[in-house]
Amino acid sequence: MTTPYNATGRRKTAIAHAWISEGTGRIMINRRGFEEYLPTVQLQNSILQPFQATNTMNKFDVNVVTKGGGLHGQVGAIRMAISRALVQFDESFRSQLREYGLLTRDSRMKERKKPGRPGARKRYQFSKR
């Protein structure tokens, strides 16, 4: 067995740690199959995007531990972690993954609630009288 390559990805408040090793294409997320963990085909394809970009489908086994955030945030974090681990495996993948924007962290976060307001920007209803 080859040495697993590991990397961390983040998106919103979700964090994902991914370990990849050469294998048959088995993907496990939090000890569950990725089809079971991700209910829609769109989310599943998002996870597979780094492999499609580098033409390495079914060449790596992936084990992911993710926590925090919601499902979409976790998918973004997993995708980034897999991309970073693939770059560790082969540095020539960097340009291909960069082309699809898979190595750039999406820094958008939820804006904090401000004092005296019900939310980040919303105001209480104004009453003239």
Side-chain angles (χ1 to χ4, degrees):
M1 182 171 154
T2 60
T3 307
Y5 298 88
N6 68 324
T8 301
R10 292 182 181 87
R11 170 78 173 96
K12 294 186 176 180
T13 57
I15 299 172
H17 301 285
W19 289 266
I20 66 167
S21 56
E22 294 181 71
T24 59
R26 182 184 55 83
I27 300 176
M28 299 293 286
I29 302 173
N30 289 349
R31 296 183 180 174
R32 291 161 57 188
F34 97 115
E35 290 93 353
E36 180 190 345
Y37 194 82
L38 303 173
T40 65
V41 175
Q42 181 185 3
L43 294 175
Q44 293 170 10
N45 287 339
S46 185
I47 296 286
L48 298 173
Q49 198 175 358
F51 298 115
Q52 291 167 344
T54 56
N55 295 322
T56 55
M57 284 296 265
N58 299 327
K59 292 186 179 161
F60 291 99
D61 286 342
V62 182
N63 189 16
V64 179
V65 175
T66 183
K67 57 186 166 192
L71 200 56
H72 285 268
Q74 287 184 353
V75 166
I78 292 168
R79 188 172 71 171
M80 181 180 209
I82 290 172
S83 300
R84 286 179 168 178
L86 283 170
V87 169
Q88 283 184 7
F89 172 76
D90 187 352
E91 193 65 35
S92 67
F93 290 157
R94 183 180 294 276
S95 60
Q96 295 164 312
L97 293 167
R98 177 78 58 202
E99 220 175 279
Y100 290 93
L102 297 173
L103 296 175
T104 305
R105 188 207 193 284
D106 191 343
S107 61
R108 295 176 294 174
M109 298 287 278
K110 185 174 180 178
E111 193 172 335
R112 77 175 193 86
K113 181 193 172 299
K114 313 301 189 303
R117 296 195 188 165
R121 299 191 178 198
K122 186 176 183 182
R123 288 158 165 77
Y124 290 113
Q125 185 171 355
F126 175 73
S127 173
K128 204 171 210 173
R129 292 179 184 83

